[in-house]
Amino acid sequence: MREYTEKKETCGTICLKYLLFIFNFFFWLAGGAVMAVGAWTLAEKSDYISLLSSSTYSATAYILVVAGVVVMVTGILGCCATFKERRNLLRVYFILLLCIFLLEIIAGILAYIYYQQFFPVSPQLSLELKQNLKNTMTQKYRREGEESVTSAVDKLQQEFKCCGSNNYTDWADSLWIRSPEASGRKVPDSCCKTITDLCGRRDHPSNIYKESGCITKLENFIQEHLKIIGAVGISIACVQIFGMIFTCCLYKSLKSEPY
């Protein structure tokens, strides 16, 4: 009976080891995906961050990058701890899993919080956000020390085929448009459907994106991207629960080792 019990425990341990190894393999791949989403947000869309009134969006992306790196390192540690059957390594692995779990939950919560900030139920708050974008574009565009805003506005108007926050008339309040530096432009050249030097002097619909404002398109972009960030963070965090359960079971099935 004793031999049967020991054999049963050994088989259970082997099953747990392979389950944990399979989990770690997919967990490592998931870490790469998390890091890729965060890095893509910062590398490809970082210009738009300067147009937003909150730093929560960028903070969420940074958390995902850090979590992704730690996940990949943790996945390797988990494989080593599993096959060497070291309880001390399993403890470290479990703690790292728990930390990553909390990081990804925080990233998901931040994405949700920012979603509520950017798409509030109150029409008045939404109006304030729209006014903030207009002020950023008209007060900081082409101003000294605001090169990142200028680059972001130009990229936004060209990529989303829009002009101004609500529409092209917003540029009438621009400090730059009113200055001699604008050379008679009515809108920035980045509002033009085909960019040429001084094309912003002519505000005809055939020349500029006259009726298309950027605020709605920026809102749609942020909305969709926040859904991706939140879903990735929360989904992988939920999967990690199984990893922590497997780790606890394997830890208990192994005999104590001297340090």
Side-chain angles (χ1 to χ4, degrees):
M1 177 66 69
R2 182 178 178 182
E3 291 179 358
Y4 174 77
T5 302
E6 290 178 354
K7 184 176 180 181
K8 183 178 180 181
E9 290 176 349
T10 302
C11 290
T13 300
I14 291 173
C15 289
L16 283 171
K17 283 171 62 177
Y18 280 102
L19 281 173
L20 198 52
F21 176 78
I22 293 171
F23 168 81
N24 276 306
F25 174 73
F26 287 104
F27 188 53
W28 186 83
L29 292 179
V34 169
M35 185 175 62
V37 170
W40 176 72
T41 300
L42 295 172
E44 295 295 325
K45 306 301 178 183
S46 59
D47 288 345
Y48 299 149
I49 294 175
S50 62
L51 300 178
L52 305 176
S53 58
S54 173
S55 60
T56 309
Y57 182 69
S58 57
T60 303
Y62 279 115
I63 288 175
L64 284 182
V65 171
V66 172
V69 172
V70 177
V71 162
M72 297 183 77
V73 174
T74 302
I76 296 173
L77 176 63
C79 290
C80 295
T82 300
F83 281 98
K84 289 187 176 182
E85 299 185 1
R86 298 290 299 273
R87 297 184 79 198
N88 56 338
L89 287 179
L90 283 173
R91 277 198 294 268
V92 174
Y93 175 64
F94 179 85
I95 291 171
L96 286 174
L97 275 181
L98 183 60
C99 291
I100 296 166
F101 176 81
L102 294 175
L103 271 176
E104 289 170 343
I105 289 294
I106 290 171
I109 292 173
L110 284 175
Y112 176 78
I113 291 173
Y114 191 80
Y115 183 91
Q116 294 300 314
Q117 290 177 345
F118 209 86
F119 307 100
V121 177
S122 169
Q124 179 60 35
L125 288 175
S126 181
L127 181 62
E128 289 176 4
L129 288 170
K130 293 179 180 180
Q131 188 63 38
N132 179 75
L133 179 61
K134 178 184 175 181
N135 290 340
T136 299
M137 296 174 78
T138 58
Q139 302 298 316
K140 296 183 178 180
Y141 185 78
R142 291 292 182 98
R143 309 304 294 177
E144 186 176 354
E146 301 291 351
E147 289 77 12
S148 62
V149 172
T150 300
S151 174
V153 170
D154 286 336
K155 182 177 179 180
L156 178 70
Q157 294 189 143
Q158 276 296 295
E159 185 171 337
F160 291 145
K161 302 184 187 307
C162 57
C163 185
S165 177
N166 297 296
N167 55 55
Y168 82 105
T169 59
D170 291 339
W171 286 110
D173 299 324
S174 169
L175 296 177
W176 178 72
I177 289 294
R178 292 178 176 182
S179 71
E181 297 175 3
S183 302
R185 291 180 178 88
K186 296 180 180 179
V187 294
D189 291 342
S190 57
C191 281
C192 299
K193 296 179 179 178
T194 301
I195 295 181
T196 57
D197 190 32
L198 299 176
C199 64
R201 288 178 173 178
R202 183 169 172 264
D203 59 358
H204 192 272
S206 63
N207 184 51
I208 68 168
Y209 301 110
K210 192 168 183 177
E211 301 301 329
S212 182
C214 295
I215 184 62
T216 301
K217 296 187 177 182
L218 182 59
E219 283 179 344
N220 291 337
F221 162 75
I222 297 294
Q223 185 180 31
E224 292 303 315
H225 204 66
L226 284 175
K227 287 180 181 178
I228 294 173
I229 291 176
V232 168
I234 298 296
S235 298
I236 295 179
C238 291
V239 172
Q240 284 177 234
I241 295 174
F242 292 101
M244 288 188 281
I245 293 173
F246 293 153
T247 303
C248 289
C249 292
L250 180 58
Y251 181 85
K252 289 180 179 180
S253 71
L254 297 175
K255 294 179 180 179
S256 299
E257 295 181 358
Y259 291 97

